[in-house]
Amino acid sequence: MEMQVLKNPNPKPVKVGEIFFGGSQVVPMAGPCAVESRQQVLACAEALQKLGIKVMRGGAFKPRTSPRGFQGLGEAGLELLAEVKAKYGLLLVSEVIDEDSLRAGAEVLDIIQIGSRNMQNFSLLRKVGRLGKPVLLKRGLAATLQEWLAAAEYILAEGNDQIILCERGIRTFEPATRNTLDLGAVAWLKQEVGFPVVVDPSHASGQRRLVGPLARGAVACGADGLLIEVHPEPDQALCDGQQSLNFEQFARLLQELEPVARAVGKSLA
Amino acid sequence: MEMQVLKNPNPKPVKVGEIFFGGSQVVPMAGPCAVESRQQVLACAEALQKLGIKVMRGGAFKPRTSPRGFQGLGEAGLELLAEVKAKYGLLLVSEVIDEDSLRAGAEVLDIIQIGSRNMQNFSLLRKVGRLGKPVLLKRGLAATLQEWLAAAEYILAEGNDQIILCERGIRTFEPATRNTLDLGAVAWLKQEVGFPVVVDPSHASGQRRLVGPLARGAVACGADGLLIEVHPEPDQALCDGQQSLNFEQFARLLQELEPVARAVGKSLA
Amino acid sequence: MEMQVLKNPNPKPVKVGEIFFGGSQVVPMAGPCAVESRQQVLACAEALQKLGIKVMRGGAFKPRTSPRGFQGLGEAGLELLAEVKAKYGLLLVSEVIDEDSLRAGAEVLDIIQIGSRNMQNFSLLRKVGRLGKPVLLKRGLAATLQEWLAAAEYILAEGNDQIILCERGIRTFEPATRNTLDLGAVAWLKQEVGFPVVVDPSHASGQRRLVGPLARGAVACGADGLLIEVHPEPDQALCDGQQSLNFEQFARLLQELEPVARAVGKSLA
Amino acid sequence: MEMQVLKNPNPKPVKVGEIFFGGSQVVPMAGPCAVESRQQVLACAEALQKLGIKVMRGGAFKPRTSPRGFQGLGEAGLELLAEVKAKYGLLLVSEVIDEDSLRAGAEVLDIIQIGSRNMQNFSLLRKVGRLGKPVLLKRGLAATLQEWLAAAEYILAEGNDQIILCERGIRTFEPATRNTLDLGAVAWLKQEVGFPVVVDPSHASGQRRLVGPLARGAVACGADGLLIEVHPEPDQALCDGQQSLNFEQFARLLQELEPVARAVGKSLA
């Protein structure tokens, strides 16, 4: 498959608000796996703002393996995120899963996230391409790098080149971690294509204690940002609590990341 | 994850027209990867009918890795399939990929196919569940059996239990075949759950010469049906020609399958 | 990698005693995972002989993941196998794992088995090649077909072409079965190279109830033989009991296999 | 499988010469994939010594996929390494593959390497365990972390606890890199067990340009050392040249690694 269109000797950073993905900054994005309640979201937003975080994540539409899992608050969740945005000035990234959630999300979100399960939902990719907003495109669970880039091309083909790729671990035979984080993919992408690449160490590892080492590794390897799950009370989380950090753990992680970013000639956004 | 709802000591066959999936018949479904032209579809339909085939496959909406690949004829393709149905009395199975194609497909198709890439497109699963028509749910490229069954539960949760599972090969490290056909999955499913299970040896192998042996293996292992790509001129196919059989090869395959089906106490539908 | 030397338009069956692997017979080999006791081996041999089985399997040297697992009876196990051979006239296949076990095994065994973990133990392959006895070479857990054939070349390079390949399942992401049986590999090998190919459905599935369907599938797909674990009392087995059949189950399996073999123009050896 | 014996709240560094693996130092080990000639080895040793490297790698016994690949110089290669050791005072790590090479290697090497293909060659593990010298145990291509630790237990069971684990990439579906480096494994091991863990970014990526980013990522993630392929003229290498650095590239990599090591509270050995 030809990928020439994506080869880019002069990578162009993606601008979101005053933040640049793909330049000399490492952008730590954080927040809960799922938006659960007004109280939870506000507590997160306040804590993140104090720590200097510019982009908050939080799932309103949750694609869950089983129909019996918590499916997210949907549009009510988006409204809570909008409130946070107004009050704390945080930029928002959140996943959309179909035409309805895309329409609703487009009004509130600064970065539209396409999740792993929808990486090859080509109808959705085309629609998000037409929207013209920054897109965070997660790698499919078993997608090759060429397939991932071909998925990005669906967005590009609609005239939208504000694409941020997100490596979040791939499926392998190893059961000790939830997925296998593929930092070789990050290094390869940084040299092959012009898109910024961020890393989600929370989903990649599935374990709180591994998030820090993998986040440091990702930054040293060249990642342009991180997507980290943070929750006021991880053990009470409705979704993925075992891989979420509390505020204190996240603050410590930021302190660890700062010197690593500097070591590779960058700084935290 | 609990899967008890799917455990079924008295599996209930899925009836489509006068055909039963999941009983003592093996249902060979065949046709081109993609509907390409009126001439192609009619040639296929005529040949298949002569061979006694009851269910024809043919892709109108093609989810393709790259936006530059042939995307199928869309609704025009469905119209050609409708013509075939009227003229040759064949039952139709074809893939839908989003709300629009589902709406169009619902009017023409006898079995709605959800492809591998959409196995966890939960919005689409819910919608196809509400339709109440037989659904052929392909296994995702890297979906575990539990995830596949959880996807089936999305359809079941809408009140539709006419689900046919389709094993079509999984992604592994092996490059010699397109995918790795997992007949252990077929055997496991036949013992664990009540859904019929069919096998697609064409996508599993990606090579014409391997389709026969894998089809025979699938039937001997207990598959309730087969999905086989057949094309008047495989080398001219717009899509997946290297894994398609011509009519003569397919006729020979049916002759090979008949004694294998008998050997396991079944017959070809 | 060039594999031309292995391409063989006129495959040459491997003769062991009066049995031919790779011709019109399907050779069912059976016996316990591990040789445990004189009583156990004799009970197996007697039961197998009554069922018409010609080749008995039984592990004397067991390569176990943990040093705390039962490691086999070693040379004492080989002596028990020799006794069986003398008394019941069964041919013997058993695994060797190093120079010492190869030396001991060479005196007793009719087929020298190289296990999955040693598929790329090139020193051992060379030594077994020099021996000039039939070799059953199992596929490594994550070996590509090309790597497997390259391993066979090590044996071939020493002048020994009596090689029987054994597909025993590969490692994938799927946890529901112990390994994933790759019958596409069997079909591919039968067309690409001249070596006979047998299948081990016991290790592939890890579950007694799946052995039958996979054995039938393997035979229909073209396998030249089967390696099946049989134990007088599977639930008391020191090793892999959950995937072993008792005599009655094995007898029933043979009855099921006979018509499948006939359906593909073969018969059970 | 119980792994309690390996749980170690007070990890004990492995001392080799004056170097400690598993403490506050990151040990960069480097050298050619294969020992090819006196000239090549001396050129490497001189360059490495000038750069302050303490441990040199170089393969004398090369386990190659095909019998037609360059198999290494064998004992003659070891003699060249011995010369280097005497002249430049470098510590040596090199792979042994069987009883003969182990015997020969034991006289010259400071760290005995067991390669991926032999991770479950239990006879060899036992023998290397009895030797009592530091062992570098590479992870098998498709070995789970539990299987890897169980292999280490074979060495431990012989009374040798001087074990250094080496993550070198696992086999996955992704073809863009030679293997997939699993830094989650490094993070997991550092928290679960007391053994030092080093990383081989050369074999993991298979591409020169990716070695630097992955080496930085590994150090930031907590690796205790690196194994890096360096060759005077990579494009002339008899083995794995495409993943080897020349001296200048390696010097630059060391400069990049120094601040990353400092960022995680360590220094280069």
Side-chain angles (χ1 to χ4, degrees):
Chain A
M1 186 168 21
E2 289 298 317
M3 276 293 142
Q4 249 153 332
V5 66
L6 295 173
K7 283 259 190 186
N8 193 349
N10 302 303
K12 207 185 60 159
V14 172
K15 186 164 185 267
V16 185
E18 301 304 312
I19 302 292
F20 286 90
F21 287 85
S24 63
Q25 288 185 317
V26 175
V27 185
M29 300 173 275
C33 177
V35 172
E36 296 171 7
S37 69
R38 194 163 179 275
Q39 187 185 2
Q40 175 232 29
V41 177
L42 290 178
C44 275
E46 191 183 338
L48 295 175
Q49 194 209 34
K50 276 191 193 153
L51 291 166
I53 296 302
K54 308 291 190 305
V55 187
M56 180 168 162
R57 61 151 289 152
F61 303 94
K62 302 298 302 172
R64 300 303 298 280
T65 299
S66 161
R68 285 166 285 139
F70 171 58
Q71 311 274 322
L73 298 182
E75 301 209 13
L78 278 185
E79 281 167 34
L80 292 175
L81 290 174
E83 188 179 339
V84 150
K85 187 174 173 174
K87 182 161 181 189
Y88 294 99
L90 290 163
L91 297 164
L92 295 174
V93 56
S94 192
E95 180 170 1
V96 300
I97 56 174
D98 54 16
E99 201 166 346
D100 289 342
S101 56
L102 175 59
R103 197 178 305 116
E107 294 181 23
V108 176
L109 305 174
D110 300 285
I111 306 173
I112 308 287
Q113 178 180 322
I114 302 293
S116 292
R117 292 180 180 85
N118 283 309
M119 191 202 84
Q120 292 193 315
N121 183 337
F122 303 122
S123 301
L124 188 61
L125 294 178
R126 283 206 181 90
K127 287 188 182 101
V128 84
R130 274 174 227 139
L131 202 64
K133 280 204 160 187
V135 179
L136 186 142
L137 179 64
K138 285 200 159 186
R139 181 183 189 179
L141 203 55
T144 64
L145 296 179
Q146 293 293 357
E147 288 168 345
W148 193 6
L149 292 177
E153 271 200 89
Y154 272 89
I155 299 169
L156 212 51
E158 302 295 329
N160 184 355
D161 66 353
Q162 299 173 70
I163 299 170
I164 300 163
L165 299 173
C166 178
E167 161 64 27
R168 41 77 75 211
I170 56 173
R171 177 153 281 178
T172 69
F173 61 82
E174 176 59 63
T177 47
R178 184 173 179 181
N179 296 290
T180 298
L181 182 63
D182 183 5
L183 288 185
V186 175
W188 187 90
L189 288 166
K190 291 299 292 176
Q191 301 198 24
E192 282 289 314
V193 296
F195 301 127
V197 185
V198 303
V199 166
D200 178 345
S202 306
H203 278 89
S205 65
Q207 295 169 52
R208 193 177 303 150
R209 61 179 182 160
L210 304 182
V211 170
L214 289 182
R216 295 195 309 261
V219 170
C221 184
D224 296 303
L226 295 163
L227 207 55
I228 291 172
E229 294 197 349
V230 173
H231 192 283
E233 295 176 282
D235 295 335
Q236 308 303 318
L238 294 181
C239 172
D240 288 346
Q242 73 289 352
Q243 70 197 32
S244 297
L245 307 182
N246 64 26
F247 301 149
E248 195 186 321
Q249 290 159 338
F250 181 58
R252 216 156 40 222
L253 173 57
L254 289 175
Q255 289 179 329
E256 286 174 23
L257 291 175
E258 184 64 48
V260 177
R262 269 203 315 274
V264 294
K266 295 181 179 175
S267 61
L268 294 191
Chain B
M1 186 168 23
E2 288 299 318
M3 276 294 143
Q4 250 154 330
V5 64
L6 296 171
K7 282 260 190 185
N8 193 347
N10 302 305
K12 205 184 62 160
V14 172
K15 184 163 186 266
V16 185
E18 300 305 311
I19 303 294
F20 286 90
F21 287 84
S24 62
Q25 288 184 316
V26 174
V27 185
M29 299 174 275
C33 178
V35 172
E36 297 172 6
S37 69
R38 192 163 181 278
Q39 186 184 3
Q40 174 230 30
V41 177
L42 289 178
C44 275
E46 191 183 338
L48 296 176
Q49 195 210 35
K50 276 191 193 152
L51 291 167
I53 295 302
K54 309 292 191 305
V55 187
M56 179 167 164
R57 60 150 290 153
F61 303 93
K62 301 297 304 172
R64 301 302 298 279
T65 300
S66 162
R68 286 167 284 140
F70 171 60
Q71 311 275 323
L73 298 181
E75 301 208 14
L78 279 185
E79 281 167 33
L80 292 174
L81 290 174
E83 189 180 337
V84 149
K85 188 175 171 172
K87 182 161 180 188
Y88 294 99
L90 291 163
L91 297 164
L92 295 173
V93 55
S94 192
E95 181 170 0
V96 301
I97 56 175
D98 54 16
E99 202 166 345
D100 290 342
S101 55
L102 175 60
R103 198 178 305 116
E107 294 180 24
V108 175
L109 305 173
D110 301 285
I111 306 173
I112 308 286
Q113 178 180 322
I114 302 293
S116 292
R117 293 179 179 86
N118 283 310
M119 191 202 84
Q120 292 192 316
N121 183 337
F122 302 122
S123 300
L124 188 61
L125 293 179
R126 283 208 181 88
K127 286 187 182 101
V128 85
R130 272 173 230 139
L131 202 64
K133 279 203 162 189
V135 180
L136 185 143
L137 180 64
K138 284 199 161 188
R139 183 182 187 179
L141 203 56
T144 63
L145 296 179
Q146 292 294 356
E147 289 168 344
W148 192 9
L149 292 178
E153 270 199 88
Y154 273 89
I155 299 169
L156 213 50
E158 302 295 331
N160 183 355
D161 65 354
Q162 299 174 70
I163 300 170
I164 301 163
L165 299 173
C166 179
E167 159 64 28
R168 43 77 74 208
I170 57 173
R171 178 153 279 176
T172 69
F173 61 82
E174 176 58 63
T177 45
R178 184 174 181 180
N179 296 290
T180 298
L181 182 63
D182 183 5
L183 287 185
V186 174
W188 187 91
L189 288 167
K190 292 297 294 176
Q191 300 197 24
E192 282 288 314
V193 296
F195 301 127
V197 184
V198 302
V199 166
D200 177 346
S202 306
H203 279 88
S205 66
Q207 294 169 53
R208 192 177 303 147
R209 62 178 181 162
L210 304 182
V211 170
L214 289 182
R216 295 195 309 260
V219 171
C221 185
D224 296 303
L226 295 163
L227 208 55
I228 292 173
E229 294 196 349
V230 173
H231 192 282
E233 295 175 282
D235 295 335
Q236 309 302 317
L238 295 181
C239 172
D240 288 346
Q242 73 288 352
Q243 70 196 30
S244 297
L245 305 183
N246 64 28
F247 300 148
E248 194 186 321
Q249 290 159 339
F250 180 59
R252 214 154 41 220
L253 174 58
L254 289 175
Q255 288 179 328
E256 286 173 24
L257 290 175
E258 184 63 47
V260 178
R262 267 203 315 273
V264 294
K266 295 182 180 176
S267 60
L268 294 191
Chain C
M1 185 168 23
E2 288 298 319
M3 276 294 142
Q4 249 153 332
V5 65
L6 295 172
K7 282 260 189 186
N8 193 346
N10 301 305
K12 205 184 63 161
V14 172
K15 184 162 186 269
V16 185
E18 301 305 311
I19 303 292
F20 286 90
F21 287 86
S24 62
Q25 288 185 316
V26 174
V27 185
M29 299 173 275
C33 177
V35 171
E36 296 172 7
S37 69
R38 193 163 180 276
Q39 186 185 3
Q40 174 231 29
V41 178
L42 289 177
C44 276
E46 192 184 337
L48 295 176
Q49 194 209 34
K50 276 191 193 153
L51 291 166
I53 295 301
K54 309 289 191 307
V55 187
M56 179 168 163
R57 62 151 291 152
F61 303 94
K62 301 298 303 172
R64 300 303 298 279
T65 300
S66 162
R68 286 168 283 139
F70 171 59
Q71 310 276 322
L73 298 182
E75 301 208 14
L78 279 184
E79 281 166 35
L80 292 174
L81 290 174
E83 189 180 338
V84 150
K85 188 174 172 173
K87 181 160 181 189
Y88 294 99
L90 290 163
L91 298 164
L92 295 174
V93 56
S94 191
E95 180 170 1
V96 300
I97 56 175
D98 54 17
E99 201 167 342
D100 290 343
S101 55
L102 175 59
R103 197 179 305 118
E107 295 180 23
V108 176
L109 305 173
D110 301 285
I111 306 174
I112 308 286
Q113 178 180 323
I114 302 293
S116 293
R117 292 180 181 85
N118 284 310
M119 191 203 83
Q120 292 192 315
N121 183 337
F122 302 122
S123 301
L124 188 60
L125 293 179
R126 282 206 182 92
K127 288 190 181 99
V128 86
R130 273 173 229 139
L131 202 64
K133 279 204 162 187
V135 180
L136 186 142
L137 179 63
K138 285 199 159 187
R139 183 183 188 179
L141 203 56
T144 63
L145 296 179
Q146 292 293 356
E147 289 168 344
W148 193 8
L149 291 178
E153 270 200 89
Y154 272 91
I155 299 168
L156 212 51
E158 303 295 328
N160 184 355
D161 66 354
Q162 298 174 70
I163 300 169
I164 301 163
L165 299 173
C166 178
E167 160 65 27
R168 42 78 73 210
I170 56 173
R171 178 153 279 176
T172 69
F173 61 83
E174 176 58 62
T177 45
R178 184 174 180 180
N179 296 290
T180 298
L181 182 63
D182 183 5
L183 287 185
V186 175
W188 187 91
L189 288 167
K190 292 297 293 177
Q191 301 197 22
E192 283 288 314
V193 296
F195 301 127
V197 185
V198 302
V199 166
D200 178 344
S202 306
H203 279 87
S205 65
Q207 294 169 53
R208 193 176 303 149
R209 61 178 182 161
L210 304 182
V211 170
L214 289 182
R216 295 194 309 260
V219 170
C221 185
D224 296 304
L226 295 164
L227 208 53
I228 292 173
E229 294 196 349
V230 173
H231 193 283
E233 294 174 284
D235 295 335
Q236 309 302 318
L238 294 180
C239 172
D240 288 346
Q242 73 289 351
Q243 70 196 31
S244 298
L245 307 183
N246 64 27
F247 301 148
E248 194 186 322
Q249 290 160 338
F250 180 60
R252 214 154 41 220
L253 173 58
L254 289 175
Q255 289 178 328
E256 286 173 24
L257 290 175
E258 184 64 50
V260 177
R262 268 202 317 273
V264 294
K266 294 182 181 175
S267 60
L268 293 191
Chain D
M1 187 167 22
E2 287 300 316
M3 277 293 142
Q4 248 154 331
V5 65
L6 296 171
K7 283 260 191 186
N8 192 347
N10 301 303
K12 205 185 60 161
V14 172
K15 185 164 185 269
V16 184
E18 301 304 312
I19 303 293
F20 286 90
F21 287 84
S24 64
Q25 288 185 316
V26 174
V27 185
M29 299 173 274
C33 178
V35 172
E36 296 172 6
S37 70
R38 194 165 178 274
Q39 187 185 2
Q40 174 230 31
V41 177
L42 289 178
C44 275
E46 192 183 338
L48 295 176
Q49 194 209 36
K50 276 191 193 152
L51 291 167
I53 295 302
K54 309 292 191 304
V55 186
M56 180 166 161
R57 60 150 291 152
F61 303 93
K62 301 299 303 173
R64 300 303 298 280
T65 300
S66 162
R68 285 166 285 137
F70 172 58
Q71 310 274 322
L73 297 182
E75 300 208 14
L78 278 184
E79 281 167 33
L80 293 174
L81 290 174
E83 190 180 338
V84 150
K85 188 174 171 174
K87 183 163 181 188
Y88 294 99
L90 290 163
L91 298 164
L92 296 173
V93 57
S94 191
E95 181 170 0
V96 300
I97 56 176
D98 54 16
E99 200 166 346
D100 290 342
S101 56
L102 175 60
R103 198 179 304 117
E107 294 181 22
V108 176
L109 305 174
D110 300 285
I111 306 173
I112 308 287
Q113 178 181 320
I114 302 294
S116 293
R117 292 180 180 85
N118 284 310
M119 191 201 84
Q120 292 192 316
N121 183 336
F122 303 122
S123 300
L124 187 60
L125 293 179
R126 283 207 181 91
K127 286 186 182 102
V128 85
R130 273 173 228 139
L131 202 63
K133 280 203 160 190
V135 180
L136 186 142
L137 179 64
K138 285 199 160 189
R139 183 183 187 180
L141 203 55
T144 64
L145 297 179
Q146 292 294 357
E147 289 168 344
W148 192 8
L149 292 177
E153 270 200 89
Y154 272 90
I155 299 169
L156 214 50
E158 303 294 329
N160 184 355
D161 67 353
Q162 300 173 71
I163 299 170
I164 301 163
L165 299 172
C166 178
E167 160 64 28
R168 42 78 72 208
I170 56 173
R171 178 153 280 176
T172 69
F173 61 82
E174 176 59 63
T177 46
R178 183 172 180 181
N179 295 291
T180 298
L181 183 63
D182 183 5
L183 288 184
V186 174
W188 187 90
L189 287 167
K190 292 297 293 176
Q191 301 197 23
E192 282 288 315
V193 295
F195 300 127
V197 185
V198 302
V199 166
D200 178 344
S202 306
H203 278 88
S205 64
Q207 295 168 54
R208 192 177 303 148
R209 62 178 182 161
L210 304 182
V211 170
L214 289 182
R216 296 195 310 261
V219 171
C221 185
D224 296 304
L226 295 164
L227 207 54
I228 292 173
E229 294 196 349
V230 174
H231 193 281
E233 295 174 282
D235 295 335
Q236 309 302 317
L238 294 180
C239 171
D240 287 347
Q242 72 289 351
Q243 70 197 32
S244 297
L245 307 182
N246 63 27
F247 300 149
E248 195 187 321
Q249 290 159 339
F250 181 57
R252 215 155 40 222
L253 173 58
L254 290 175
Q255 288 179 329
E256 286 174 23
L257 290 175
E258 183 63 49
V260 177
R262 268 204 315 274
V264 294
K266 295 181 179 176
S267 60
L268 294 190

